[in-house]
Amino acid sequence: MSVRVPLPRWVDIALLPLLNVTLAFLIGGLIVLSVGQNPLDAVGIMLYGAFGYGSGFGYTLYYTTDFVFAGLAVSLAYHAGLFNIGAEGQAYVAGLGVILIALALNGQPWQLVVPAMIVVGMVFGAVWGFIPGYLQAKRGSHIVITTILFNFIAVSMMSYLISRVLKPANVGNDESAPIIVASRVPGLKDFIPFFNHSPVNITFIIAILALVFVYWLVWRTKFGFALRALGHNPTAANYAGISNEKMIMIVMAMAGALASFVAVNNVGGVQGRLILNFVNGAGFVGVAVAFMGKAHPVGVALSALLFGALYQGGQELAFSMPGITKEMIVTIQALVILFTGAMGDMLRIPLEKLFAPRPSAGAR
C-alpha cells in the first residue's frame, strides 16, 4: 500500500489554490468563447473593473470586507473541528441589533454610534451562533444541520420583523427607518478621495484588524491552543483538562460575533437601514473563502480579495460586454467556488506524485 507524502507547505497554501482558480477561469473562458466573445478581453475588463479605477477598487474592497468576516467566522469554528454554515443567519440577525441601537442613538455623532453598533451587533450575532453551539455541546445536535436550519429561521424571523414591526407606516418598501448620515459608518472616500463614490467604509480597516486578531488568538494564545486541540482530537483535549462543551459554545459565539460585522458594514454603513436579504449570500461565500484560504487569516484575506474582485469585475464585464449575461457571470463565480471549495483537493494527488521525494540512485 502506497503512503501519501504531504505536500510542501508553499504548494499546499499557494500553488494548489492558484491552480484551482486557473482551472476555473479556463472553463469560464470556454463559456465566454461559446457566445462569441474574446476570453482575454473579458479578463482584461474584469481586472480593470476590479482594480483599474478608484470607484471600482472601492467596490472590490467593500465586497472583500464582507467576505473576510464571513470567512473568519467559518475558519475560527473550523479550527475547533466545527463546520459553521450559519454565518449568513448570524450576520442577518446581527443586523437587527445594529439597527435597533442605531435608531435609538440616531442623530448622534458616528464616533458614538458606530462603537455601539459594533458592540450590540456582536452580541446579537454571538447569541445566534451560541445557540447551535449549545445544542451540539449539550444535546448532541449536529452543528452543520443546526446552523443551516438557523439560517432559514433567521430569514423568516427577520422578514417578519422588517415588514411587520420595523417598517415605518409611510414607507412602501420592506425596510426600517433610515440612519441619519452623520450617525452612519463613515466611508473611506471621506478620508481618501481616490475611492470616489464607492461604498467601502472603515469596516474594511476593522476587517484587517480582525485578521490579525484571529491569527494571534488561534496561534499565539492558550485559548487558541485549546481550540486547535479540540479540533485535532476532542478525546485527547478532554483528557488534557479542556472542557469540550464550553469550548464549542464559546467558539460558536465568537464565530457569530465575527459574522456580525457584515451587518455593521451594510446596515450601519452602506445601506443605512435594515433591508431584506442585505447579507446577499456573503455568509455562504465565506465557506468557500475559508476553505480556499486553508482557514488561515492570510489565506482568508487573499481569497476574500479574489472573490471581491470577481463580484465587482463581473459587474463591469456584464456592463461592458452585452453578450455576457448576468447568469454567465454567476456561472463563472460558481466555478471558482466549485474548484476552490467542493473540488479543492482534486489536484492534490497529482501534485503529491509530482513533489514526492525521488529515491536515490542506490536505493532498491
Side-chain angles (χ1 to χ4, degrees):
M1 182 177 67
S2 61
V3 178
R4 296 182 63 176
V5 179
L7 288 172
R9 186 168 178 80
W10 69 272
V11 175
D12 194 20
I13 294 177
L15 182 59
L16 181 58
L18 178 61
L19 291 175
N20 286 328
V21 172
T22 302
L23 186 57
F25 272 105
L26 287 175
I27 297 178
L30 294 177
I31 296 175
V32 173
L33 191 62
S34 68
V35 295
Q37 302 292 335
N38 189 325
L40 295 180
D41 290 343
V43 171
I45 291 172
M46 291 185 71
L47 290 175
Y48 175 76
F51 303 107
Y53 60 101
S55 292
F57 187 43
Y59 270 94
T60 297
L61 296 183
Y62 157 67
Y63 293 122
T64 300
T65 301
D66 283 347
F67 299 152
V68 163
F69 287 119
L72 288 177
V74 177
S75 298
L76 185 67
Y78 180 78
H79 284 294
L82 305 170
F83 198 179
N84 177 26
I85 314 293
E88 185 87 2
Q90 292 151 15
Y92 208 173
V93 172
L96 177 62
V98 169
I99 196 62
L100 289 178
I101 191 64
L103 293 178
L105 299 176
N106 215 0
Q108 298 298 319
W110 69 265
Q111 292 90 340
L112 171 66
V113 181
V114 172
M117 287 193 293
I118 290 173
V119 172
V120 177
M122 289 178 69
V123 170
F124 274 64
V127 169
W128 206 249
F130 172 84
I131 299 173
Y134 174 85
L135 292 174
Q136 165 141 340
K138 298 295 186 179
R139 296 291 181 265
S141 302
H142 199 292
I143 199 72
V144 173
I145 303 300
T146 52
T147 50
I148 290 175
L149 292 177
F150 266 66
N151 286 333
F152 287 102
I153 295 172
V155 169
S156 300
M157 180 182 73
M158 294 296 293
S159 297
Y160 174 82
L161 291 174
I162 293 172
S163 61
R164 302 294 181 89
V165 179
L166 296 173
K167 176 184 175 181
N170 59 342
V171 174
N173 296 327
D174 288 332
E175 59 186 38
S176 72
I179 305 171
I180 294 175
V181 174
S183 300
R184 297 182 187 179
V185 179
L188 286 185
K189 62 180 183 292
D190 297 336
F191 310 98
I192 308 175
F194 170 76
F195 290 114
N196 205 355
H197 300 295
S198 64
V200 61
N201 54 54
I202 62 172
T203 316
F204 173 70
I205 307 299
I206 301 175
I208 297 175
L209 297 176
L211 289 165
V212 176
F213 169 76
V214 170
Y215 175 81
W216 169 80
L217 179 72
V218 174
W219 283 280
R220 292 293 184 268
T221 66
K222 181 180 178 181
F223 177 84
F225 177 82
L227 181 150
R228 286 181 288 122
L230 172 63
H232 284 293
N233 193 323
T235 303
N238 193 43
Y239 273 110
I242 298 171
S243 173
N244 292 352
E245 294 181 354
K246 182 178 179 181
M247 285 295 299
I248 289 172
M249 292 185 287
I250 292 175
V251 169
M252 285 302 299
M254 293 179 68
L258 285 168
S260 72
F261 283 93
V262 176
V264 176
N265 184 27
N266 289 276
V267 178
V270 178
Q271 303 293 341
R273 68 196 73 215
L274 183 60
I275 64 175
L276 292 174
N277 196 32
F278 71 86
V279 185
N280 198 27
F284 298 121
V285 176
V287 177
V289 167
F291 280 88
M292 181 178 176
K294 304 298 180 183
H296 191 284
V298 174
V300 167
L302 294 175
S303 55
L305 180 62
L306 170 64
F307 280 101
L310 280 174
Y311 269 60
Q312 170 55 21
Q315 293 184 20
E316 187 80 17
L317 180 61
F319 178 79
S320 301
M321 274 190 172
I324 305 296
T325 65
K326 181 180 178 181
E327 288 73 20
M328 292 180 184
I329 302 299
V330 174
T331 300
I332 294 173
Q333 294 168 351
L335 284 171
V336 175
I337 295 175
L338 175 66
F339 282 101
T340 60
M343 300 173 64
D345 285 336
M346 182 178 62
L347 299 177
R348 180 175 295 275
I349 293 178
L351 287 175
E352 287 177 350
K353 294 179 179 178
L354 180 63
F355 287 93
R358 298 291 185 267
S360 60
R364 293 187 178 180

Tab-separated table of all heavy atoms in Angstrom, residues 306-335:
chain	number	residue	atom	x	y	z
A	306	LEU	N	-9.949	37.893	-3.845
A	306	LEU	CA	-10.263	37.279	-5.138
A	306	LEU	C	-11.759	37.305	-5.407
A	306	LEU	O	-12.206	37.703	-6.493
A	306	LEU	CB	-9.754	35.833	-5.168
A	306	LEU	CG	-10.224	34.993	-6.360
A	306	LEU	CD1	-9.678	35.549	-7.670
A	306	LEU	CD2	-9.820	33.533	-6.187
A	307	PHE	N	-12.555	36.898	-4.423
A	307	PHE	CA	-13.995	36.885	-4.627
A	307	PHE	C	-14.554	38.299	-4.730
A	307	PHE	O	-15.516	38.546	-5.475
A	307	PHE	CB	-14.683	36.115	-3.497
A	307	PHE	CG	-14.612	34.620	-3.673
A	307	PHE	CD1	-13.700	33.864	-2.969
A	307	PHE	CD2	-15.455	33.980	-4.555
A	307	PHE	CE1	-13.627	32.490	-3.135
A	307	PHE	CE2	-15.395	32.604	-4.730
A	307	PHE	CZ	-14.478	31.857	-4.015
A	308	GLY	N	-13.957	39.237	-3.993
A	308	GLY	CA	-14.375	40.625	-4.141
A	308	GLY	C	-14.124	41.134	-5.549
A	308	GLY	O	-14.964	41.825	-6.142
A	309	ALA	N	-12.961	40.771	-6.107
A	309	ALA	CA	-12.635	41.161	-7.484
A	309	ALA	C	-13.572	40.479	-8.476
A	309	ALA	O	-13.976	41.074	-9.480
A	309	ALA	CB	-11.179	40.817	-7.788
A	310	LEU	N	-13.934	39.229	-8.215
A	310	LEU	CA	-14.862	38.518	-9.104
A	310	LEU	C	-16.234	39.193	-9.108
A	310	LEU	O	-16.855	39.348	-10.173
A	310	LEU	CB	-15.008	37.067	-8.652
A	310	LEU	CG	-13.904	36.096	-9.045
A	310	LEU	CD1	-14.136	34.749	-8.380
A	310	LEU	CD2	-13.837	35.934	-10.546
A	311	TYR	N	-16.697	39.603	-7.939
A	311	TYR	CA	-18.016	40.236	-7.866
A	311	TYR	C	-18.014	41.578	-8.585
A	311	TYR	O	-18.888	41.855	-9.410
A	311	TYR	CB	-18.429	40.404	-6.401
A	311	TYR	CG	-19.204	39.231	-5.861
A	311	TYR	CD1	-18.639	37.955	-5.829
A	311	TYR	CD2	-20.492	39.375	-5.367
A	311	TYR	CE1	-19.337	36.871	-5.328
A	311	TYR	CE2	-21.205	38.295	-4.875
A	311	TYR	CZ	-20.628	37.046	-4.856
A	311	TYR	OH	-21.331	35.968	-4.375
A	312	GLN	N	-17.042	42.442	-8.270
A	312	GLN	CA	-17.000	43.752	-8.894
A	312	GLN	C	-16.609	43.657	-10.373
A	312	GLN	O	-17.228	44.291	-11.228
A	312	GLN	CB	-16.017	44.661	-8.152
A	312	GLN	CG	-15.689	45.975	-8.843
A	312	GLN	CD	-16.919	46.805	-9.176
A	312	GLN	OE1	-17.981	46.625	-8.586
A	312	GLN	NE2	-16.781	47.723	-10.117
A	313	GLY	N	-15.589	42.859	-10.686
A	313	GLY	CA	-15.180	42.695	-12.072
A	313	GLY	C	-16.271	42.077	-12.914
A	313	GLY	O	-16.426	42.412	-14.098
A	314	GLY	N	-17.059	41.182	-12.322
A	314	GLY	CA	-18.165	40.574	-13.043
A	314	GLY	C	-19.229	41.591	-13.420
A	314	GLY	O	-19.791	41.548	-14.526
A	315	GLN	N	-19.502	42.526	-12.533
A	315	GLN	CA	-20.472	43.570	-12.851
A	315	GLN	C	-19.960	44.468	-13.969
A	315	GLN	O	-20.724	44.879	-14.851
A	315	GLN	CB	-20.771	44.395	-11.592
A	315	GLN	CG	-21.494	43.615	-10.517
A	315	GLN	CD	-21.865	44.471	-9.322
A	315	GLN	OE1	-21.919	45.694	-9.415
A	315	GLN	NE2	-22.123	43.844	-8.192
A	316	GLU	N	-18.677	44.781	-13.934
A	316	GLU	CA	-18.091	45.589	-15.002
A	316	GLU	C	-18.150	44.846	-16.330
A	316	GLU	O	-18.420	45.442	-17.381
A	316	GLU	CB	-16.636	45.909	-14.646
A	316	GLU	CG	-15.947	46.884	-15.592
A	316	GLU	CD	-16.310	48.326	-15.308
A	316	GLU	OE1	-16.819	48.615	-14.203
A	316	GLU	OE2	-16.070	49.164	-16.191
A	317	LEU	N	-17.910	43.548	-16.286
A	317	LEU	CA	-17.934	42.740	-17.505
A	317	LEU	C	-19.336	42.698	-18.096
A	317	LEU	O	-19.518	42.828	-19.310
A	317	LEU	CB	-17.432	41.332	-17.196
A	317	LEU	CG	-17.378	40.348	-18.365
A	317	LEU	CD1	-16.437	40.856	-19.451
A	317	LEU	CD2	-16.937	38.971	-17.873
A	318	ALA	N	-20.343	42.498	-17.250
A	318	ALA	CA	-21.722	42.449	-17.737
A	318	ALA	C	-22.137	43.781	-18.359
A	318	ALA	O	-22.930	43.814	-19.315
A	318	ALA	CB	-22.663	42.081	-16.595
A	319	PHE	N	-21.591	44.887	-17.843
A	319	PHE	CA	-21.920	46.211	-18.381
A	319	PHE	C	-21.189	46.489	-19.690
A	319	PHE	O	-21.748	47.080	-20.620
A	319	PHE	CB	-21.559	47.283	-17.345
A	319	PHE	CG	-21.822	48.687	-17.811
A	319	PHE	CD1	-23.100	49.211	-17.804
A	319	PHE	CD2	-20.781	49.488	-18.264
A	319	PHE	CE1	-23.341	50.507	-18.236
A	319	PHE	CE2	-21.005	50.777	-18.696
A	319	PHE	CZ	-22.294	51.294	-18.683
A	320	SER	N	-19.937	46.050	-19.766
A	320	SER	CA	-19.100	46.391	-20.923
A	320	SER	C	-19.247	45.412	-22.072
A	320	SER	O	-18.968	45.763	-23.222
A	320	SER	CB	-17.621	46.457	-20.495
A	320	SER	OG	-17.438	47.419	-19.483
A	321	MET	N	-19.636	44.171	-21.791
A	321	MET	CA	-19.817	43.160	-22.829
A	321	MET	C	-21.269	42.710	-22.829
A	321	MET	O	-21.646	41.824	-22.064
A	321	MET	CB	-18.900	41.956	-22.586
A	321	MET	CG	-17.515	42.079	-23.154
A	321	MET	SD	-16.635	40.488	-23.066
A	321	MET	CE	-15.167	40.880	-24.008
A	322	PRO	N	-22.110	43.322	-23.659
A	322	PRO	CA	-23.534	42.960	-23.647
A	322	PRO	C	-23.787	41.481	-23.931
A	322	PRO	O	-24.800	40.929	-23.516
A	322	PRO	CB	-24.129	43.842	-24.763
A	322	PRO	CG	-23.170	44.984	-24.889
A	322	PRO	CD	-21.814	44.420	-24.582
A	323	GLY	N	-22.851	40.829	-24.646
A	323	GLY	CA	-23.032	39.413	-24.933
A	323	GLY	C	-22.871	38.519	-23.717
A	323	GLY	O	-23.271	37.357	-23.726
A	324	ILE	N	-22.274	39.062	-22.653
A	324	ILE	CA	-22.086	38.311	-21.403
A	324	ILE	C	-23.245	38.643	-20.475
A	324	ILE	O	-23.384	39.780	-20.016
A	324	ILE	CB	-20.744	38.661	-20.734
A	324	ILE	CG1	-19.583	38.458	-21.697
A	324	ILE	CG2	-20.556	37.827	-19.485
A	324	ILE	CD1	-19.384	37.040	-22.138
A	325	THR	N	-24.078	37.684	-20.200
A	325	THR	CA	-25.235	37.918	-19.340
A	325	THR	C	-24.862	37.789	-17.868
A	325	THR	O	-23.796	37.260	-17.510
A	325	THR	CB	-26.358	36.913	-19.657
A	325	THR	OG1	-25.897	35.588	-19.324
A	325	THR	CG2	-26.729	36.968	-21.126
A	326	LYS	N	-25.762	38.252	-17.024
A	326	LYS	CA	-25.555	38.140	-15.577
A	326	LYS	C	-25.449	36.679	-15.164
A	326	LYS	O	-24.665	36.323	-14.268
A	326	LYS	CB	-26.705	38.820	-14.839
A	326	LYS	CG	-26.577	38.783	-13.330
A	326	LYS	CD	-27.751	39.475	-12.659
A	326	LYS	CE	-27.622	39.391	-11.141
A	326	LYS	NZ	-28.786	40.038	-10.463
A	327	GLU	N	-26.211	35.824	-15.814
A	327	GLU	CA	-26.183	34.395	-15.475
A	327	GLU	C	-24.816	33.783	-15.772
A	327	GLU	O	-24.346	32.907	-15.035
A	327	GLU	CB	-27.273	33.650	-16.259
A	327	GLU	CG	-28.693	33.929	-15.795
A	327	GLU	CD	-29.185	35.306	-16.192
A	327	GLU	OE1	-28.597	35.897	-17.134
A	327	GLU	OE2	-30.143	35.800	-15.560
A	328	MET	N	-24.155	34.242	-16.842
A	328	MET	CA	-22.810	33.746	-17.163
A	328	MET	C	-21.805	34.187	-16.099
A	328	MET	O	-20.909	33.428	-15.726
A	328	MET	CB	-22.379	34.247	-18.535
A	328	MET	CG	-23.159	33.661	-19.695
A	328	MET	SD	-22.594	34.288	-21.276
A	328	MET	CE	-23.775	33.518	-22.380
A	329	ILE	N	-21.971	35.422	-15.622
A	329	ILE	CA	-21.081	35.916	-14.565
A	329	ILE	C	-21.239	35.058	-13.312
A	329	ILE	O	-20.261	34.653	-12.679
A	329	ILE	CB	-21.382	37.389	-14.242
A	329	ILE	CG1	-21.221	38.257	-15.494
A	329	ILE	CG2	-20.473	37.884	-13.128
A	329	ILE	CD1	-19.850	38.248	-16.085
A	330	VAL	N	-22.486	34.770	-12.955
A	330	VAL	CA	-22.751	33.930	-11.777
A	330	VAL	C	-22.162	32.544	-11.979
A	330	VAL	O	-21.617	31.937	-11.039
A	330	VAL	CB	-24.269	33.860	-11.499
A	330	VAL	CG1	-24.566	32.869	-10.379
A	330	VAL	CG2	-24.808	35.226	-11.142
A	331	THR	N	-22.226	32.034	-13.211
A	331	THR	CA	-21.658	30.715	-13.505
A	331	THR	C	-20.148	30.713	-13.295
A	331	THR	O	-19.597	29.765	-12.717
A	331	THR	CB	-21.985	30.308	-14.955
A	331	THR	OG1	-23.401	30.259	-15.119
A	331	THR	CG2	-21.387	28.947	-15.278
A	332	ILE	N	-19.465	31.758	-13.749
A	332	ILE	CA	-18.016	31.842	-13.565
A	332	ILE	C	-17.677	31.921	-12.078
A	332	ILE	O	-16.744	31.252	-11.597
A	332	ILE	CB	-17.451	33.060	-14.321
A	332	ILE	CG1	-17.625	32.868	-15.842
A	332	ILE	CG2	-15.981	33.276	-13.988
A	332	ILE	CD1	-17.264	34.079	-16.659
A	333	GLN	N	-18.444	32.730	-11.335
A	333	GLN	CA	-18.223	32.804	-9.887
A	333	GLN	C	-18.462	31.449	-9.233
A	333	GLN	O	-17.701	31.029	-8.339
A	333	GLN	CB	-19.152	33.864	-9.289
A	333	GLN	CG	-18.848	35.280	-9.744
A	333	GLN	CD	-19.943	36.265	-9.373
A	333	GLN	OE1	-21.019	35.876	-8.910
A	333	GLN	NE2	-19.674	37.537	-9.558
A	334	ALA	N	-19.491	30.750	-9.694
A	334	ALA	CA	-19.791	29.430	-9.132
A	334	ALA	C	-18.691	28.431	-9.454
A	334	ALA	O	-18.375	27.551	-8.631
A	334	ALA	CB	-21.133	28.928	-9.668
A	335	LEU	N	-18.079	28.557	-10.634
A	335	LEU	CA	-16.976	27.656	-10.993
A	335	LEU	C	-15.794	27.848	-10.052
A	335	LEU	O	-15.139	26.876	-9.644
A	335	LEU	CB	-16.551	27.913	-12.440
A	335	LEU	CG	-17.473	27.362	-13.531
A	335	LEU	CD1	-17.041	27.874	-14.900
A	335	LEU	CD2	-17.467	25.840	-13.520
